[in-house]
Every structure is written in structure tokens, then in C-alpha cells.
Amino acid sequence: MIDFNDIPDWWPLCQKHNCQKAAQCLRFQACQQAPKGLNRWTCLLPAAVSGDNCDYFEQAEPERMARGFVTLFKRLGSRDARHDFRMALTDYFHSAGGYDRAKKGLRLLTAADQQWIRQWLADYGYTAEVEFDEYVDKYNFTHLD
């Protein structure tokens, strides 16, 4: 089920009940989870959907996200490897705070984030299996606009 609290307030919902793709559309399904009493939200206008074609359609499928990499960080071994890893991910997450939130699991890691980390580690010569602290299946609203 979609947790409405996960939806960014800038992400448009869709209210088109008669759309043929409504049952598979993340925007429509998310709109159905809006809490009672919510009066304002960014929504698509009816003109956004033309017949069966909608440029805003997003398949309603959860993504396997990772939460945290404290254990992975500890396994890196040398102080230099941990420093280089921390610097690379601080740059990737655009700040030390972003890095810390991701490391502690306060910011979920999308499939793209996980792949980037795995690739960086492989390029660095890390050969062990890359496992994150925890995995959860959630809807990813971060890359959708």
C-alpha cells in the first residue's frame, strides 16, 4: 500500500477515475490514499491525458530500496578506504548531511543509488559482495516529476 506521507508535495497526483490505466497508475493510486480533510495538492489537469496516452503515467510498482550502509562502511577495512568512500558519497549526496542520513538509513537508497555505490566500490577494487543494512519495498517518488 502507498504511504501518503512518502509522497513529496510537489509530485502531481491524478484524479481521472475513468482512465483505462488508473488501476496501474501510481499517480491515481496515490491520490486514492489522500487523507480525509486534505484540501490542496498538486494535481494533473484533465488535458494531461489524451485518450489512452498519458505522458505522466507511472507504473504502480514498489522498488527494492536499501536502508543504511553502516555495516558495509565498517567492512571497508583501511582508514583510507573509508575516507575515500565517505568523500565520494558526500559528493554523490551533495552534502555531509546527505551522506550521514543515507549511511544511517534515514534516507532510503534507490536502485540507482545502490548501483552507483556498487560501481564505485568495484572501481575502487572492492571485491566482496555489497550488502546494505536493510532492504524495504517502497514506492519511489524521488525520480518522478
Side-chain angles (χ1 to χ4, degrees):
M1 176 175 280
I2 298 167
D3 183 346
F4 198 81
N5 294 318
D6 291 341
I7 304 170
D9 59 2
W10 53 263
W11 195 74
L13 303 177
C14 181
Q15 301 178 51
K16 192 165 183 177
H17 295 273
N18 61 347
C19 177
Q20 293 179 3
K21 296 182 178 180
Q24 297 87 33
C25 181
L26 184 57
R27 294 183 192 282
F28 181 80
Q29 295 303 317
C31 188
Q32 302 308 298
Q33 299 302 316
K36 289 182 176 27
L38 180 67
N39 296 319
R40 294 177 52 172
W41 198 269
T42 301
C43 291
L44 297 171
L45 296 174
V49 181
S50 174
D52 293 341
N53 188 20
C54 178
D55 292 336
Y56 297 93
F57 175 79
E58 296 291 344
Q59 188 69 40
E61 291 181 12
E63 181 178 316
R64 183 68 145 185
M65 297 201 189
R67 178 177 284 143
F69 50 87
V70 173
T71 305
L72 173 63
F73 183 78
K74 289 177 183 177
R75 289 185 182 154
L76 288 178
S78 77
R79 176 184 244 175
D80 289 341
R82 290 191 305 271
H83 176 267
D84 291 349
F85 182 73
R86 185 174 59 250
M87 292 298 101
L89 266 69
T90 296
D91 187 49
Y92 179 79
F93 292 118
H94 307 292
S95 71
Y99 165 81
D100 286 337
R101 284 187 297 281
K103 180 181 177 185
K104 294 174 185 175
L106 301 174
R107 177 207 187 277
L108 292 177
L109 302 170
T110 65
D113 296 335
Q114 294 170 55
Q115 181 56 37
W116 191 94
I117 291 169
R118 284 186 173 97
Q119 187 60 55
W120 187 91
L121 288 166
D123 292 347
Y124 196 83
Y126 186 80
T127 57
E129 174 114 14
V130 176
E131 289 293 326
F132 296 93
D133 295 342
E134 181 183 359
Y135 294 90
V136 294
D137 293 326
K138 303 268 289 179
Y139 292 95
N140 181 0
F141 298 97
T142 62
H143 69 288
L144 308 173
D145 56 13

